[in-house]
């Protein structure tokens, strides 16, 4: 098997997220996107897209330990909404408050062929794994907020976000 040594552009941005709420659907067995869809079906994305005041795209996520309850896994899907959100919480979903924190966003370049979404997600995962936030005075802080996987589309590329804290 040939090793792919090509370089793909992946931008990294630190974005301060305000105090907000997270509306999410927990998984009982799932550990990733595919097993989540197998367990919960694929309608969850449309359900969360119907929340018009969401602060970002719908995401599959890895929950911090403090949000995992007995009988569920680290995997969930959902959206962030403004802290003052008082709208309907979809059936089968939970809503929790998230404190203000910094998030490190990783985003690949757009791609031409829709079938390359898996490669784009692999590229953003590779960038996240090899990135050293300490060189800029940050460290990963997985207890502060979920790690988000926003998926990939040919128009925007792949996007993921992970919570960080300042160490300097």
């Amino acid at each position: 098997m040939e090793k792919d040594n090509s370089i793909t552009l992946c931008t990294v941005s630190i974005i301060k997220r305000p105090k907000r709420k997270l509306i999410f659907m927990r998984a009982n067995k799932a550990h990733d996107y595919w097993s989540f869809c197998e367990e919960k079906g694929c309608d969850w994305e449309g359900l969360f897209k119907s929340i018009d005041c969401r602060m970002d795209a719908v995401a599959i996520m890895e929950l911090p330990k403090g949000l995992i309850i007995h009988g569920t896994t680290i995997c969930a899907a959902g959206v962030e909404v403004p802290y003052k959100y008082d709208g309907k919480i979809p059936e089968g979903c939970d809503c929790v408050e998230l404190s203000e924190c910094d998030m490190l966003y990783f985003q690949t370049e757009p791609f031409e062929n829709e079938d390359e979404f898996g490669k784009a997600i692999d590229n953003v995962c590779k960038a996240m794994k090899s990135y050293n936030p300490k060189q800029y005075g940050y460290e990963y802080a997985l207890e502060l907020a979920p790690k988000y996987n926003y998926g990939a589309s040919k128009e925007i590329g792949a996007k993921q976000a992970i919570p960080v804290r300042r160490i300097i």
Side-chain angles (χ1 to χ4, degrees), residues 48-131:
F48 292 117
K49 281 184 177 179
S50 71
I51 299 172
D52 60 359
C53 66
R54 64 188 180 282
M55 296 172 66
D56 207 332
V58 174
I60 221 54
M61 60 191 79
E62 292 179 22
L63 296 174
K65 289 181 183 176
L67 290 181
I68 299 170
I69 60 173
H70 181 73
T72 66
T73 68
I74 196 169
C75 189
V79 292
E80 291 180 346
V81 295
Y83 181 73
K84 293 184 179 190
Y85 178 79
D86 63 356
K88 184 178 181 211
I89 306 303
E91 187 176 331
C93 294
D94 290 326
C95 183
V96 296
E97 294 178 8
L98 295 176
S99 298
E100 178 181 299
C101 73
D102 291 330
M103 298 290 290
L104 204 54
Y105 280 78
F106 292 79
Q107 186 163 347
T108 66
E109 59 195 334
F111 47 93
E112 290 184 27
N113 183 343
E114 191 68 47
D115 294 336
E116 293 179 348
F117 77 93
K119 184 177 178 184
I121 291 173
D122 287 345
N123 286 335
V124 81
C125 289
K126 181 180 172 185
M128 289 178 81
K129 186 178 272 191
S130 64
Y131 188 79

